């Protein structure tokens, strides 16, 4: 998946209050999964003092604690118990998220929670349950996509732990995700997934840049970051063309044919980019070669859409994190249409 970007929230309290979008069985599943995770937590400070603990685990957790301290001291992110605990949940992903869209739309099927609002996915602690839910949606004629998630935020409801699933990442990716998830705790706007994820993505990227500078580190993978940006640009351009197609009055058969032609174009453009600029090696080959549909493109619009707007706002705030958060909070209080207009203006530099 696209650099493990699917970091989500699954607050237990919201799940218990959920109405109208699932069943009691689903509530029970969420509550049980969250409870299992909470029970698996142990203080990182104690693990670091334990002489019998795995040395490699201790090294990674020590690094995570340095980043956690940096997040609050330098990025003004919440100073709480999150990411000062560790949990080994004995599986490769903590949850599996199911995305769904209509056949001729890039608008996600929403799932609504009274506290956190509506989000563009539905999470499951069991891969089997997620696959079953995706199959049912597919039977309804929807495009579906299932993605494994290594980390999520409970938005401050609980002290979120570092998970064993997160330790498969590079040091930089581990640090970046801590910043990303704490950004969700800093600010969350109900019913606006693109706003929330773009905000957290900006905090993650700028935070990681400042972390490197503070540590005197070179960027360990500048080519990888450039590939990521170029790949995202390809997919976002493809999304734009698909939106134009779906807004047309073409008959369904022609629209279906045009949709498949667009996916073929995306693959061709990716392969041309890979040969022209990446030396024939592409880190997204598996993603691009797997089956394609609308739902698979959803995360790109959610995580990248407003990052340039938040970058511009950060500069307007004099690169002061506290002032920046105040201005982001003010944006979040605007009605949805005004908020989008303001973000569009920031992205365009107006």
């Amino acid at each position: 998946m696209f650099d493990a970007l699917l970091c989500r929230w699954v607050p237990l309290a919201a799940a218990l209050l959920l109405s109208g979008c699932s069943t009691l069985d689903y509530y029970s599943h969420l509550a049980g999964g969250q409870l299992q995770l909470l029970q698996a937590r142990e203080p990182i400070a104690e693990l670091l003092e334990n002489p019998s603990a795995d040395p490699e685990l201790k090294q990674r957790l020590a690094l995570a604690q340095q980043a956690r301290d940096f997040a609050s001291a330098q990025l003004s992110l919440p100073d709480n118990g999150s990411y000062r605990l560790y949990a080994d949940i004995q599986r490769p992903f903590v949850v599996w998220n199911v995305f769904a869209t209509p056949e001729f739309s890039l608008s996600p099927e929403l799932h609504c929670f009274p506290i956190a609002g509506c989000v563009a996915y539905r999470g499951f602690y069991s891969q089997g349950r997620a696959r079953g839910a995706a199959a049912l949606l597919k039977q309804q004629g929807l495009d579906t996509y299932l993605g494994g998630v290594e980390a999520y935020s409970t938005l401050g409801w609980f002290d979120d732990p570092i998970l064993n699933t997160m330790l498969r990442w590079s040091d930089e990716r581990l640090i970046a995700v801590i910043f990303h998830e704490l950004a969700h705790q800093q600010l969350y706007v109900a019913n606006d997934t693109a706003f929330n994820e773009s905000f957290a993505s900006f905090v993650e990227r700028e935070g990681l840049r400042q972390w490197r500078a503070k540590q005197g580190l070179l960027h360990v993978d500048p080519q990888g970051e450039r590939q990521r940006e170029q790949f995202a640009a390809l997919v976002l351009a493809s999304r734009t063309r698909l939106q134009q197609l779906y807004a047309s009055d073409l008959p369904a058969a022609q629209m279906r044919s045009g949709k498949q032609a667009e996916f073929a174009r995306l693959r061709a453009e990716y392969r041309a980019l890979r040969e022209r600029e990446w030396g024939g090696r592409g880190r997204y080959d598996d993603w691009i070669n797997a089956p394609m549909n609308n739902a698979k493109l959803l995360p790109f619009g959610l995580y990248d859409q407003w990052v340039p707007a938040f970058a511009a706002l950060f500069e307007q705030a004099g690169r002061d994190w506290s002032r920046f958060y105040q201005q982001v909070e003010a944006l979040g209080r605007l009605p949805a249409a005004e908020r989008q207009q303001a973000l569009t203006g920031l992205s365009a530099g107006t």
Side-chain angles (χ1 to χ4, degrees):
M1 181 47 201
F2 181 42
D3 275 356
L5 285 179
L6 299 180
C7 303
R8 301 296 184 199
W9 64 271
V10 188
L12 176 60
L16 295 176
L17 292 172
L18 188 63
S19 63
C21 68
S22 189
T23 63
L24 286 174
D25 179 64
Y26 181 63
Y27 311 168
S28 177
H29 170 68
L30 289 187
Q34 180 66 47
L35 181 61
Q36 179 191 42
L37 187 151
L38 295 176
Q39 291 175 334
R41 298 177 304 174
E42 51 186 321
I44 290 176
E46 293 181 10
L47 276 169
L48 295 178
E49 294 297 324
N50 184 352
S52 64
D54 177 69
E56 182 178 355
L57 173 63
K58 291 169 70 173
Q59 184 272 328
R60 300 300 305 285
L61 293 179
L63 175 67
Q65 295 313 278
Q66 293 176 37
R68 180 64 186 83
D69 293 340
F70 181 89
S72 294
Q74 303 298 321
L75 309 181
S76 299
L77 289 168
D79 189 3
N80 54 32
S82 289
Y83 308 110
R84 300 192 184 280
L85 303 162
Y86 173 70
D88 185 347
I89 55 174
Q90 304 290 315
R91 58 180 186 267
F93 297 106
V94 59
V95 294
W96 286 262
N97 282 341
V98 177
F99 296 84
T101 70
E103 183 182 8
F104 301 130
S105 173
L106 287 165
S107 297
E109 294 289 301
L110 297 177
H111 302 278
C112 298
F113 297 77
I115 295 172
C118 299
V119 293
Y121 50 84
R122 198 176 186 202
F124 297 84
Y125 287 94
S126 161
Q127 186 178 25
R129 278 180 174 259
R131 286 175 171 168
L136 289 174
L137 292 168
K138 191 173 182 179
Q139 287 179 0
Q140 298 171 26
L142 298 173
D143 282 9
T144 64
Y145 178 68
L146 188 153
V149 180
E150 290 95 340
Y152 66 77
S153 172
T154 59
L155 304 181
W157 284 85
F158 304 103
D159 289 336
D160 297 318
I162 300 289
L163 298 169
N164 64 294
T165 56
M166 300 164 65
L167 298 183
R168 299 186 299 168
W169 297 332
S170 68
D171 287 350
E172 284 211 345
R173 185 66 194 144
L174 173 62
I175 292 165
V177 169
I178 292 172
F179 297 163
H180 184 108
E181 299 304 337
L182 286 171
H184 284 314
Q185 294 188 19
Q186 178 69 34
L187 180 70
Y188 182 88
V189 176
N191 303 320
D192 198 336
T193 303
F195 180 92
N196 295 322
E197 294 300 346
S198 296
F199 164 68
S201 292
F202 169 75
V203 173
E204 165 193 327
R205 296 174 198 181
E206 177 60 25
L208 187 57
R209 190 198 65 78
Q210 293 188 17
W211 164 267
R212 292 191 201 108
K214 184 76 171 179
Q215 303 297 318
L217 300 172
L218 296 175
H219 189 347
V220 297
D221 189 18
Q223 183 181 17
E225 183 167 307
R226 176 164 172 75
Q227 287 189 14
R228 177 182 180 278
E229 292 172 353
Q230 291 176 317
F231 181 57
L234 282 183
V235 177
L236 289 172
S238 183
R239 281 175 51 94
T240 298
R241 292 190 295 268
L242 283 170
Q243 286 172 329
Q244 293 169 348
L245 172 67
Y246 298 151
S248 71
D249 295 325
L250 291 174
Q254 287 182 246
M255 201 172 294
R256 194 169 293 121
S257 176
K259 175 181 177 180
Q260 295 308 313
E262 177 54 45
F263 291 145
R265 175 178 174 175
L266 174 59
R267 290 190 174 101
E269 290 184 348
Y270 170 81
R271 289 163 186 154
L273 175 65
R274 181 187 62 187
E275 296 304 318
R276 184 177 67 250
E277 298 193 30
W278 301 352
R281 296 183 299 276
R283 64 195 302 177
Y284 305 109
D285 287 3
D286 289 345
W287 190 94
I288 205 76
N289 291 326
M292 196 85 69
N293 63 29
N294 295 329
K296 190 173 180 178
L297 305 187
L298 281 178
F300 294 87
L302 298 177
Y303 281 85
D304 295 276
Q305 182 176 1
W306 300 123
V307 169
F310 289 114
L313 191 62
F314 188 63
E315 295 299 327
Q316 288 183 15
R319 303 182 64 80
D320 180 276
W321 284 105
S322 295
R323 287 178 58 196
F324 170 66
Y325 295 143
Q326 290 172 4
Q327 293 182 21
V328 175
E329 186 175 358
L331 276 179
R333 289 196 296 268
L334 294 175
E338 292 182 30
R339 182 164 62 244
Q340 183 162 345
Q341 184 178 14
L343 290 166
T344 300
L346 285 165
S347 296
T350 59

